[in-house]
Amino acid sequence: RRQAAEEMAEEVEGTVHEMMEPALALLPAATTVADAVAFLRAHATPQQITYLYVTGVDDRLIGMIVFRDLLLAEPEETLAEVMLPDPFAIPVDMEVTDAIKAALHRHYPVYPVVDSEQHVVGVIRGWRLFERQAMEISAQSGQMVGVDKEERLATTFWSAFRMRHPWLQVNLLTAFLAGFVVSMFEGTISQIVALAAFLPILAGQSGNTGCQALAITLRGITLGDIEKFPVAGLVRKEVMLGAMNGLFTGVVAGLAMWWTASRGGNADAMLLGLVIVLAMVGSCMMSGMFGVLVPITLRRFGADPATASSIFLTTGTDIAGMGLMLFLATTLVL
Amino acid sequence: RRQAAEEMAEEVEGTVHEMMEPALALLPAATTVADAVAFLRAHATPQQITYLYVTGVDDRLIGMIVFRDLLLAEPEETLAEVMLPDPFAIPVDMEVTDAIKAALHRHYPVYPVVDSEQHVVGVIRGWRLFERQAMEISAQSGQMVGVDKEERLATTFWSAFRMRHPWLQVNLLTAFLAGFVVSMFEGTISQIVALAAFLPILAGQSGNTGCQALAITLRGITLGDIEKFPVAGLVRKEVMLGAMNGLFTGVVAGLAMWWTASRGGNADAMLLGLVIVLAMVGSCMMSGMFGVLVPITLRRFGADPATASSIFLTTGTDIAGMGLMLFLATTLVL
């Protein structure tokens, strides 16, 4: 099992070479249609041949033949006359992810694979590229929280532990940063204990708001939409959405704080409610911004834009959000 | 734009009917190969024809013809002799998601679509089904945090707000439950203020651990692996992973608590550190369990297993985790 998982990882990272099948039908351009049909008739496994590939000088790929065209051609015509010239071919050393992108808008059932001198070295079935793409995308929500993209249900306990644990330690380290910010305001919390219950509420709320922005940005990268939108516009939209979402959830949370605090006899209950509203608006605006910038920054540094993105996002939103709430409470209320 | 988004939503929810193209080549079984070739030659757009479909009594679909077989057949043979009998066909009223599943292991470039009486009413290109599948999967990480699966970068501000906001209010409501649990222990927090900083750390840590389990379970559902594993085994694995991950991150967090508390002159610093370790182990075990059970439960109730799964998950882990920590601190330390 471990070996299978490792092989899979290699494949995902690797070039198209591993996904190739042998090219079964390479014919010189001077071959006649009648001879091509004879070749097919004599072939052991004609049902595995989807296209014929036509070679020219030095055996270089110069064309491809669709059986439909062969059927409509005259027996004495040459393949050079019947072929579709200069067919799209995938270089054998191309990364799988790039091959998927290249094939995405072509939709051929089979692609020829060529070396640097345009010799056909194999073929790749289009569904294999699509299948790989589905596999990659289905890994994304895990990658966001530090799951390796090779992990699946069949992965063993120890492999899963080894792959997931390091990111949990990173998450803890970043949580300490937020915890450190909170501990700087221990004096405030000891005077207004009600704030303690609102720390995880604020963190959870801005974290979820930010993850919404993050997910939409990642989806835009996956589907290629992102190129059509300037980053500044995306940030503006998500910051505004954060402001609106923070305002309407903040008012509800603020009312809850006001009710809690006034029931506890706190004279500043109204002001504390206001602190919650402001903190919620501010932290959701920031989390919207992080939601766009984290995956874009990861990608700019050559990393997978999903990698631990949720961990990086919540670090920022936790520090900013809880820090803001406690700072506002300290300066406005105390 | 709004209309486009609405149309897309309809398509995703709908049947294969919307994805169909006209079937261009339907021929009776008695047609000779020579006549079929003549039919193709006379056709206005032969390059759009991938297979010929063969009809029998009452125009019902009884076979399909691959051009390669037509090429190798004798001109006087009938299509009935050359065809692949009983071809796989997609019912016109089938849900798109079911059609994707049906096509997933067949990999044909084109599928015939039939009505209830086996009349061919159109064809669907395989890449369209794959493309739709990629679209569906890429929506998953957003769905987990309450993003509608039709939302993309191009979705307008107000549409995005309208679709995302309700789940944020749900998230807030569930956060209140956790906040309520915390507020029950206000007496404990006011005596040991250092606990306040560890509330978001614990919530964030068990939330991330649970989201790892959730993502892997969702991936298993998406890729169809889930059927091979009994739920009890998956729960056991994730609970054990939670225990291990909770232990090793818990020890680090416990040391941090011990250091923080003893620096603050707390005589129970060691015991507080132990409380953190135990709370981390317990809450990560529970979050592992929720990570498996939330999507499986959603699916069992007929919902999309990803829908707001992260919101439901963190509700459970927050209540259980912070409640456990404060309960342990109250009973062991005070």
Side-chain angles (χ1 to χ4, degrees), chain A:
Chain A
R1 272 195 186 170
R2 193 172 134 196
Q3 210 199 338
E6 277 168 8
E7 270 168 23
M8 196 179 109
E10 244 173 42
E11 238 178 85
V12 171
E13 304 282 325
T15 65
V16 295
H17 190 264
E18 292 91 346
M19 300 171 69
M20 251 169 38
E21 296 170 28
L24 300 174
L26 286 175
L27 295 170
T31 313
T32 63
V33 167
D35 285 346
V37 173
F39 164 85
L40 266 180
R41 202 180 299 276
H43 201 282
T45 54
Q47 69 281 2
Q48 285 177 23
I49 300 175
T50 307
Y51 299 125
L52 304 181
Y53 295 105
V54 183
T55 54
V57 181
D58 292 337
D59 294 331
R60 287 166 201 255
L61 175 69
I62 61 165
M64 68 179 250
I65 304 263
V66 181
F67 285 135
R68 190 182 44 233
D69 294 337
L70 215 53
L71 198 62
L72 301 181
E74 300 301 326
E76 65 277 8
E77 283 185 272
T78 64
L79 296 189
E81 295 171 276
V82 181
M83 72 184 186
L84 304 168
D86 300 321
F88 168 73
I90 296 177
V92 69
D93 57 354
M94 193 180 237
E95 302 275 339
V96 170
T97 41
D98 294 327
I100 290 170
K101 275 179 205 147
L104 214 55
H105 299 289
R106 288 191 169 86
H107 317 302
Y108 297 165
V110 176
Y111 297 90
V113 179
V114 293
D115 65 16
S116 57
E117 291 177 313
Q118 287 291 109
H119 297 136
V120 176
V121 293
V123 297
I124 287 191
R125 305 215 168 258
W127 67 262
R128 277 196 196 278
L129 293 172
F130 275 116
E131 194 180 67
R132 178 58 48 85
Q133 189 201 22
M135 183 74 77
E136 297 269 310
I137 304 176
S138 73
Q140 219 168 49
S141 51
Q143 287 178 277
M144 289 167 71
V145 288
V147 173
D148 198 283
K149 71 176 170 185
E150 69 177 276
E151 186 178 338
R152 293 176 67 176
L153 285 182
T155 304
T156 60
F157 178 83
W158 289 108
S159 294
F161 175 72
R162 218 174 37 236
M163 293 189 290
R164 292 190 205 172
H165 192 73
W167 280 116
L168 290 172
Q169 291 285 1
V170 171
N171 192 48
L172 183 62
L173 211 71
T174 65
F176 280 160
L177 294 176
F180 176 72
V181 171
V182 172
S183 72
M184 293 197 310
F185 293 96
E186 276 194 358
T188 306
I189 296 170
S190 66
Q191 288 178 66
I192 315 164
V193 187
L195 286 172
F198 279 85
L199 286 175
I201 292 177
L202 187 82
Q205 202 60 25
S206 61
N208 199 91
T209 307
C211 275
Q212 290 187 337
L214 174 62
I216 281 296
T217 307
L218 276 175
R219 193 180 196 201
I221 293 174
T222 303
L223 300 178
D225 298 348
I226 194 99
E227 321 300 345
K228 290 173 239 154
F229 298 89
V231 174
L234 297 176
V235 170
R236 198 162 47 236
K237 179 179 166 189
E238 289 300 340
V239 168
M240 297 240 308
L241 275 169
M244 288 281 292
N245 283 320
L247 181 65
F248 287 97
T249 53
V251 166
V252 177
L255 286 172
M257 170 54 108
W258 169 74
W259 183 74
T260 307
S262 57
R263 218 183 41 144
N266 192 314
D268 298 315
M270 191 83 93
L271 209 49
L272 277 171
L274 183 68
V275 164
I276 297 293
V277 178
L278 293 177
M280 200 77 105
V281 172
S283 64
C284 288
M285 287 172 78
M286 284 185 281
S287 72
M289 185 186 70
F290 288 133
V292 178
L293 293 184
V294 165
I296 286 178
T297 307
L298 281 168
R299 196 166 72 133
R300 204 154 284 172
F301 280 99
D304 188 310
T307 306
S309 50
S310 168
I311 291 173
F312 298 132
L313 169 87
T314 49
T315 306
T317 56
D318 283 4
I319 292 173
M322 296 192 294
L324 180 64
M325 180 180 100
L326 292 169
F327 171 78
L328 287 174
T330 308
T331 52
L332 295 182
V333 183
L334 291 189

Side-chain angles (χ1 to χ4, degrees), chain B residues 14-35:
Chain B
T15 64
V16 295
H17 190 263
E18 293 90 344
M19 298 171 70
M20 251 171 36
E21 295 169 29
L24 300 175
L26 285 174
L27 295 170
T31 313
T32 62
V33 168
D35 285 346

